């Protein structure tokens, strides 16, 4: 059997690539001693200077991998796969390497449908409550303020949305499924997805 090549993750600490790294580490812990299965190692290309990262125009992952030129970008040479968008990267890792369905049940339609629903909800709604770097945001601000003066200010309506709509929904879900996690007694992939949102909300909004 050919040896596995390392997966590459392009990452900025605290950004949405954190979801992908967190989930990989959960899978690594689960499968580190499993006979007959090897999880490929992960090489993390970490960018700590966010301003330099955003201003650098000749990034290979911008040109060849990710048209947005953003993190996360996940490259798995073992499957000839390049992924971007954090929830899509997470789903890829689950479907490809969570072979026992520990973090996401492989057959239970209720658990799988809830994962898909909440993952899309996170990427399409929750992330936008604290987002300050989307291409659309930055294009609009560049027109309004000028490229040199762009400053994203989170709207107070975002916190109202969290307090009155989103937080009560998740509280109800926890009670409905018996907690302490979103689908019950066991920590699952969707807790990673939502956990990153909670981190962003705590840092920027709550």
């Amino acid at each position: 059997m050919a040896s596995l090549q390392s997966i590459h993750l392009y990452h900025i600490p605290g950004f949405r690539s954190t979801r992908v790294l967190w989930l990989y580490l959960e899978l690594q812990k689960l499968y580190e001693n499993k006979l007959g299965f090897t999880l490929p190692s992960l090489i993390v290309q970490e960018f700590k200077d966010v301003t330099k990262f955003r201003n650098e125009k000749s990034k290979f992952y911008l040109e060849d991998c990710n048209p947005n030129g953003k993190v996360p970008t996940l490259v798995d040479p073992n499957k000839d796969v390049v992924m971007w968008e954090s929830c899509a990267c997470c789903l890829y890792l689950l479907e490809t390497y969570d072979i026992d369905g520990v973090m996401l049940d492989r057959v239970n339609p209720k658990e799988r449908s809830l994962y898909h629903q909440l993952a899309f909800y996170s990427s399409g709604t929750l992330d936008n409550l604290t987002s300050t770097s989307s291409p659309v945001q930055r294009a609009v601000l560049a027109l309004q303020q000028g490229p040199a003066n762009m400053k994203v200010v989170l709207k107070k309506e975002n916190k109202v949305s969290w307090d009155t709509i989103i937080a009560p929904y998740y509280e109800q879900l926890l009670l409905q499924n018996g907690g302490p996690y979103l689908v019950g007694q066991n920590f699952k992939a969707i807790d990673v997805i939502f956990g990153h949102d909670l981190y962003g909300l705590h840092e920027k909004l709550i």
Side-chain angles (χ1 to χ4, degrees), residues 16 19 85-88 91 95 112-128 170 190 193-194 197:
R16 292 171 217 178
R19 280 186 182 131
E85 290 296 322
S86 63
C87 290
L91 184 57
E95 292 185 335
R112 293 184 66 81
S113 62
L114 182 62
Y115 172 87
H116 291 134
Q117 176 176 289
L118 295 184
F120 277 97
Y121 189 50
S122 282
S123 62
T125 299
L126 290 186
D127 286 355
N128 291 322
Y170 279 94
I190 196 57
I193 303 295
F194 183 54
D197 281 314

Side-chain angles (χ1 to χ4, degrees), residues 166-177:
I166 300 170
Y169 166 73
Y170 279 94
E171 183 176 18
Q172 180 183 15
L173 187 63
L174 284 167
L175 292 172
Q176 174 184 313
N177 290 333

Side-chain angles (χ1 to χ4, degrees), residues 8-195:
H8 291 252
L9 174 65
Y10 298 89
H11 168 61
I12 296 175
F15 280 44
R16 292 171 217 178
S17 53
T18 303
R19 280 186 182 131
V20 186
L21 177 58
W22 181 359
L23 181 62
Y24 176 88
L25 294 174
E26 295 289 345
L27 293 173
Q28 183 182 58
K29 184 66 176 176
L30 285 169
Y31 291 107
E32 60 184 352
N33 296 316
K34 184 174 178 63
L35 295 176
F37 175 75
T38 302
L39 180 70
S41 60
L42 182 70
I43 296 175
V44 180
Q45 174 66 59
E46 183 175 298
F47 301 93
K48 295 183 178 179
D49 188 332
V50 178
T51 300
K52 182 179 179 180
F53 172 82
R54 286 175 173 162
N55 292 334
E56 176 58 59
K57 302 301 182 184
S58 58
K59 303 187 286 280
F60 104 88
Y61 39 88
L62 170 62
E63 297 174 347
D64 299 331
C65 294
N66 186 337
N68 295 308
K70 292 167 65 67
V71 298
T73 300
L74 184 75
V75 181
D76 185 354
N78 303 290
K79 307 293 184 181
D80 193 25
V81 164
V82 177
M83 297 290 298
W84 39 277
E85 290 296 322
S86 63
C87 290
C89 293
C90 287
L91 184 57
Y92 171 76
L93 289 177
L94 291 166
E95 292 185 335
T96 308
Y97 296 112
D98 185 16
I99 59 171
D100 292 337
V102 179
M103 296 298 289
L104 176 61
D105 195 293
R106 301 184 79 85
V107 296
N108 185 330
K110 184 175 181 180
E111 181 180 323
R112 293 184 66 81
S113 62
L114 182 62
Y115 172 87
H116 291 134
Q117 176 176 289
L118 295 184
F120 277 97
Y121 189 50
S122 282
S123 62
T125 299
L126 290 186
D127 286 355
N128 291 322
L129 293 182
T130 58
S131 175
T132 57
S133 63
S134 77
V136 173
Q137 277 180 317
R138 298 181 69 79
V140 171
L141 288 173
L143 289 172
Q144 293 176 340
Q145 304 172 7
N149 301 309
M150 291 191 301
K151 182 178 181 182
V152 178
V153 178
L154 296 176
K155 297 179 180 180
K156 63 181 181 180
E157 289 86 352
N158 291 17
K159 188 175 189 310
V160 174
S161 296
W162 167 257
D163 289 341
T164 61
I165 300 173
I166 300 170
Y169 166 73
Y170 279 94
E171 183 176 18
Q172 180 183 15
L173 187 63
L174 284 167
L175 292 172
Q176 174 184 313
N177 290 333
Y181 304 110
L182 289 176
V183 293
Q185 297 297 312
N186 298 315
F187 184 81
K188 294 282 188 172
I190 196 57
D191 297 295
V192 173
I193 303 295
F194 183 54

